[in-house]
Amino acid sequence: MIQLIRGFKDILPGEVELWQEIERISRELFETFGFKEIRIPIMENTELFARSIGEHTDIVEKEMYTFPDRKGDLITLRPEATASVVRSYIQHKMYAVDPVRKFYTIGPMFRRERPQKGRYRQFYQINAEVIGVDAPYVDAQLIFILATLLDRLKISDVAVHINSLGCPECRPAFRKALTALLEDKKEDLCADCLRRSSTNPLRVLDCKVPACREAMADAPPLLDYLCDGCANHFASVQRTLNGLGVPFVIDKQLVRGLDYYTRTTFEIQTGALGAQSAVAGGGRYDGLIKMLDGPDMPAIGFAIGFDRLVEIVGLKQVDFEKTPRLFIAALGEDCAEKAFDWVCRLGLAGIHAEMDMAVRSLKSQMKQADRSRAAFVLIIGESELASGNAILRNMRTKAQSPIAIDANTVKNVIAHIRPHAT
Ligand code: HAM
């Protein structure tokens, strides 16, 4: 039997309703705050991700699904969405019309990580990006939106972690201090980190190898090296979050796994997912648009791990399962013919009705009706046909009422089974 690829998964009916509901709540929230949906391709030229996420990150070095297409061009299944949103913003010269843009996008991402609970090779993200504003209000507003979304999804046991990663003005002094420390710790580092010590020392702070983590435990925090501009910006973000009543912790160890970040970075962390503690992550990327040959524009965004959200959501699956409003139990071909006509016409009127198209026994059809959890059952057999009245049963109250079998049957049924009729 052919099975799905390791680290990939099916989201089956019964589960998918919760995904749809989370998506609906997210869209509603984003639109309230003026975000517009953008849909970007699932594949891009590899260079886009290599340049923006960074050549020396785990994602680019080890995790991307990259392959030559039939002409030999290197393409990559997107490991994240930010690079593509920025590419699109630049390519369509969106800055020329209105430089400030707020986008959201929802869809699958691909990273070849070791699969475990909360970590998949195809996973889904809910992304929000704001391009064109450097005010700390935006940073605070994005974190506020994230916190609001988690609240609406009845997720507790989460904490907002924030940090600042500075800018090209304050990074060099930090880099120098870090490089000196790395020189001292050479013996303790993994091969990747040894290499990164010279190519991209900041990435060593993000290494998941326990020995490297231990070696870097006493690394100086970047926060201590911020220039005045970055320190003031970070202080304003905190002040604004306090004003909005969003609790947060300052996490000096939070470096994030992508190279494009500057200034504010943040994560939503939870204890509910074992080792995969980050439900969402984001931050400023003020240099990325220029680096990808666009104008010099600040930007900030976040991505929520949709799969992880589903695992910790407080809303219950059963609240969103969709069941038919009506099941028509029809006996004999003449009645089935009528039932079929009604099922189709109820569908046109936006009412989900089911029937047994194989026209089995009444007992079997009543069992099907129960299994389908339909709110009402309409029964029509030879005797109903002869008497000119079908029987409508309310499955909750067990009350029964006759429905005339004539040109108005569908109209009459609708009048009885509208939601207020239960
Ligand atoms: P990221 O931290 O790499 O950031 O991913 C964001 C979230 O996606 C993580 O916090 C996690 O919940 C989820 N995630 C990541 N990898 C996996 C996986 N293998 N399986 C399941 N969930 C996963 C970014 O991707 C940035 N583009 C976020 C951003 C947007 N920054 C600015 N704008």
Side-chain angles (χ1 to χ4, degrees), residues 8 34 77 95 98 120 142 150 154 237 304 333 341 367 369 396 411:
F8 288 60
L77 286 179
Y95 49 85
D98 179 2
Y120 309 98
L142 278 178
L150 297 173
K154 302 200 180 7
V237 174
I304 305 170
E333 275 309 321
D341 180 63
K367 264 196 202 151
R396 191 171 54 81
K411 233 164 124 188

Side-chain angles (χ1 to χ4, degrees), residues 338-353:
K338 288 202 179 309
F340 178 74
D341 180 63
W342 296 338
V343 163
C344 294
R345 286 203 278 140
L346 284 162
L348 277 185
I351 292 172
H352 176 191

Side-chain angles (χ1 to χ4, degrees), residues 176-210:
K176 208 167 146 202
L178 191 61
T179 309
L181 178 80
L182 288 172
E183 188 57 35
D184 280 355
K185 304 269 182 180
K186 253 198 321 250
E187 261 94 85
D188 307 322
L189 302 177
C190 72
D192 281 341
C193 285
L194 265 182
R195 193 168 32 82
R196 290 168 184 165
S197 303
S198 50
T199 53
N200 191 351
L202 207 71
R203 285 276 67 89
V204 179
L205 295 170
D206 186 43
C207 182
K208 289 160 198 142
V209 175

Side-chain angles (χ1 to χ4, degrees), residues 80 82 111 113 118 120 125 129 256 260-261 278-279 301-302 305:
E80 60 115 46
T82 312
R111 295 183 195 174
E113 295 190 79
Y120 309 98
Q125 282 187 344
E129 315 286 351
R256 310 274 302 125
Y260 49 61
Y261 289 115
V279 183
F302 66 70

Side-chain angles (χ1 to χ4, degrees), residues 204-264:
V204 179
L205 295 170
D206 186 43
C207 182
K208 289 160 198 142
V209 175
C212 300
R213 281 193 172 272
E214 205 175 304
M216 300 316 291
D218 48 357
L222 213 160
L223 217 47
D224 295 354
Y225 287 80
L226 295 187
C227 62
D228 286 351
C230 289
N232 288 335
H233 192 276
F234 193 47
S236 301
V237 174
Q238 293 172 55
R239 221 174 22 250
T240 316
L241 282 174
N242 282 328
L244 289 167
V246 178
F248 60 87
V249 289
I250 294 174
D251 182 347
K252 295 184 178 184
Q253 310 290 333
L254 183 72
V255 288
R256 310 274 302 125
L258 304 93
D259 272 357
Y260 49 61
Y261 289 115
T262 53
R263 292 194 160 179
T264 316

